Amino acid sequence: MTVTSSEPTGLRERKKARMRRDLIDAAIRLFHERGFEGTTTEEIAAAVDVSQRTFFRYFASKEDVVLEAAEGVDQSLFDSLRERPADEAPFRALRNAMRDHWEYLEREDLHLQGSAVNLIARSPELIDTNMRYYHRRQARLADALAERAGVDPTTDHRPSLVASVFFAALSNGHQIWCASGCEDLGLLLVHILEQLDLVPQAVGDGWGTPDA
Amino acid sequence: MTVTSSEPTGLRERKKARMRRDLIDAAIRLFHERGFEGTTTEEIAAAVDVSQRTFFRYFASKEDVVLEAAEGVDQSLFDSLRERPADEAPFRALRNAMRDHWEYLEREDLHLQGSAVNLIARSPELIDTNMRYYHRRQARLADALAERAGVDPTTDHRPSLVASVFFAALSNGHQIWCASGCEDLGLLLVHILEQLDLVPQAVGDGWGTPDA
DNA sequence: AGAGATTATGTCAGCCGCTGACACTTCGCA
DNA sequence: TGCGAAGTGTCAGCGGCTGACATAATCTCT
């Protein structure tokens, strides 16, 4: 009962979880090899020796597989957020959590989720897809922020606002990174942090880093 | 040669523009009646007495029709932005342009673009779609901001950041409005402006409007 | 005005994402 | 061991979307 406390009990549950993971792994791998559009759901299913129908019993859509991976990454970000000192202002805490979270990713497991980040980051077609799911990711982040601040996210809309602005800056940093070749993954964090740090001045009376 | 200076010269051009408009109009109307998902591209095409294939020669996708309408609205926002005093800070100018733009919409033509706004605003399924195109809309807005500030949008990323944060707040205001029933369209502006005004404090050391 | 080049349209066939329905197998539990 | 529940495969089908080809409409030039 050490780590296995959250493990599924029955064989059925384990099989299901395994299938889910297998499908995600196969999908991510195929997406890498042939691109997102260049991979059919049948191919993904075939790679795990199941029918296409089964694939769609596990995922609502092809895009969903990617989202699934993204949410895994987000979860780790939320963990980092929880560990930030409570007196840190929300947006700043989020920024620092992002930094911590990144360091964690680089240290621990670039295998599973890291490759997902990698994939999402590098394929332009998935950026739009990702965008589409910002709503969902944003909602989760808003909940995390609300929990941290001890407010009710259904009546207090500030967490949601911070979350959406955060993703906006994130997406922007990502775009900049892509525009500059999508090479060094470490550089991605630099761009993201830069954009996050620019936000306060950009929405203020100034314009961010002045030209002079 | 008064207003017709920008009008297409040939019959062909005029027909094409007309077809485009007819398709948009029919689509928007059908979307209203049966919803976005509930309307097939064949039905849209049939409503204008053309083949489905022709529809897809005018629009890359079904979603594209909606985007087209949205861009029309954005264009009017950009016009309002250009008319803001030059010494106004970018984000503030954008906020005020939004207000001006809205008033303009309410005065002038709620017929065409207004119904597009209405449609996009009211159908939850289109919010995701809309999200997907925020990239494109954001890029245009960034260009408008860059032009206003006299900077190069390809090297200076601040306009893009302001644009994305703007859309983030916009989307947030929209969500709040939807959550509260999607009734009064005028209320939508109130929510949007509220969210826009909250941004500076939300990303600062505070938390926006304090509880006390 | 008429011939020839361009361009728009219709038709057809087909891929792919996605879904409902039904039969069959596998697993859980008594 | 046997029964209900849950997972899977198969099949048929819809709808978005595209390429290819033939036809019809427009443009251009003489």
Side-chain angles (χ1 to χ4, degrees):
Chain A
M1 209 190 277
T2 51
V3 191
T4 56
S5 59
S6 64
E7 291 293 312
T9 51
L11 169 60
R12 212 166 219 154
E13 304 292 322
R14 262 180 287 133
K15 262 191 163 180
K16 226 165 77 174
R18 191 172 191 288
M19 173 74 83
R20 196 173 195 80
R21 282 196 36 175
D22 286 352
L23 281 171
I24 293 182
D25 287 352
I28 297 285
R29 185 171 49 78
L30 287 172
F31 290 164
H32 258 127
E33 290 174 16
R34 323 179 188 178
F36 182 75
E37 302 289 343
T39 306
T40 70
T41 56
E42 259 164 358
E43 287 169 341
I44 300 173
V48 205
D49 264 309
V50 292
S51 70
Q52 186 205 30
R53 194 65 185 83
T54 294
F55 172 88
F56 281 109
R57 285 198 177 97
Y58 280 85
F59 302 98
S61 66
K62 196 166 79 165
E63 301 178 341
D64 232 43
V65 185
V66 182
L67 175 65
E68 203 83 7
E71 291 197 337
V73 178
D74 284 349
Q75 208 53 50
S76 135
L77 171 66
F78 299 166
D79 291 342
S80 296
L81 180 63
R82 266 185 284 272
E83 288 173 9
R84 296 301 311 168
D87 62 336
E88 228 174 11
F91 193 74
R92 180 117 209 112
L94 210 42
R95 175 229 185 263
N96 291 333
M98 186 71 203
R99 176 172 41 77
D100 301 344
H101 155 69
W102 205 270
E103 283 171 6
Y104 168 78
L105 275 189
E106 284 187 337
R107 261 187 293 116
E108 297 291 332
D109 54 353
L110 274 181
H111 354 293
L112 267 189
Q113 304 183 335
S115 68
V117 170
N118 207 336
L119 169 68
I120 298 173
R122 285 176 198 281
S123 55
E125 28 187 7
L126 281 183
I127 298 175
D128 283 346
T129 299
N130 224 18
M131 255 283 169
R132 190 164 202 162
Y133 285 116
Y134 270 6
H135 255 118
R136 208 182 294 181
R137 300 177 65 186
Q138 174 198 321
R140 304 258 168 100
L141 178 54
D143 287 343
L145 284 168
E147 182 198 328
R148 200 184 106 98
V151 301
D152 181 9
T154 59
T155 61
D156 193 330
H157 303 119
R158 293 170 299 171
S160 175
L161 182 62
V162 172
S164 59
V165 170
F166 172 77
F167 273 120
L170 195 78
S171 152
N172 223 56
H174 187 269
Q175 277 178 250
I176 294 172
W177 178 70
C178 281
S180 66
C182 286
E183 285 303 323
D184 185 3
L185 248 186
L187 213 57
L188 176 53
L189 175 65
V190 174
H191 285 306
I192 289 176
L193 291 183
E194 198 176 87
Q195 293 307 108
L196 284 170
D197 291 337
L198 263 174
V199 169
Q201 299 193 18
V203 301
D205 292 337
W207 183 226
T209 49
D211 318 53
Chain B
M1 208 190 276
T2 51
V3 192
T4 56
S5 58
S6 65
E7 291 293 312
T9 51
L11 168 60
R12 211 168 223 154
E13 305 290 323
R14 260 180 290 132
K15 262 192 162 179
K16 227 164 75 173
R18 191 171 189 287
M19 173 74 81
R20 195 174 196 80
R21 283 196 35 176
D22 286 351
L23 281 171
I24 292 181
D25 287 352
I28 297 284
R29 184 172 47 80
L30 286 173
F31 290 162
H32 258 127
E33 290 175 16
R34 322 179 188 180
F36 181 76
E37 302 289 343
T39 306
T40 69
T41 56
E42 259 164 358
E43 287 169 341
I44 300 172
V48 205
D49 263 308
V50 292
S51 70
Q52 187 205 28
R53 193 66 184 83
T54 294
F55 173 88
F56 280 110
R57 286 200 176 95
Y58 280 86
F59 302 98
S61 67
K62 197 167 78 164
E63 300 179 341
D64 233 43
V65 185
V66 182
L67 175 65
E68 203 83 7
E71 291 196 339
V73 178
D74 284 350
Q75 208 52 50
S76 134
L77 171 66
F78 299 165
D79 291 344
S80 296
L81 180 63
R82 266 186 283 273
E83 286 172 9
R84 297 300 312 169
D87 61 338
E88 227 172 11
F91 193 74
R92 180 117 210 112
L94 209 42
R95 174 228 185 265
N96 290 333
M98 185 72 203
R99 176 173 40 75
D100 300 346
H101 154 70
W102 204 269
E103 282 171 7
Y104 167 78
L105 276 189
E106 284 187 339
R107 260 188 294 116
E108 296 292 332
D109 53 355
L110 274 182
H111 354 296
L112 267 188
Q113 305 183 334
S115 67
V117 170
N118 208 335
L119 169 69
I120 297 173
R122 284 176 199 279
S123 55
E125 28 187 6
L126 281 184
I127 298 175
D128 283 346
T129 298
N130 224 16
M131 255 282 165
R132 191 165 202 161
Y133 286 115
Y134 269 5
H135 256 119
R136 207 183 294 183
R137 299 178 65 187
Q138 174 196 319
R140 304 258 168 100
L141 177 54
D143 287 343
L145 283 168
E147 182 198 329
R148 199 185 108 99
V151 300
D152 181 9
T154 59
T155 61
D156 194 329
H157 303 118
R158 293 171 299 173
S160 174
L161 182 62
V162 172
S164 60
V165 170
F166 172 77
F167 273 120
L170 195 78
S171 152
N172 223 57
H174 186 270
Q175 277 178 249
I176 294 172
W177 178 71
C178 281
S180 67
C182 287
E183 286 302 324
D184 185 2
L185 249 186
L187 212 57
L188 176 53
L189 176 64
V190 174
H191 285 305
I192 288 177
L193 291 182
E194 198 175 88
Q195 293 306 109
L196 284 171
D197 291 337
L198 263 175
V199 170
Q201 300 193 17
V203 300
D205 291 336
W207 184 226
T209 49
D211 318 55

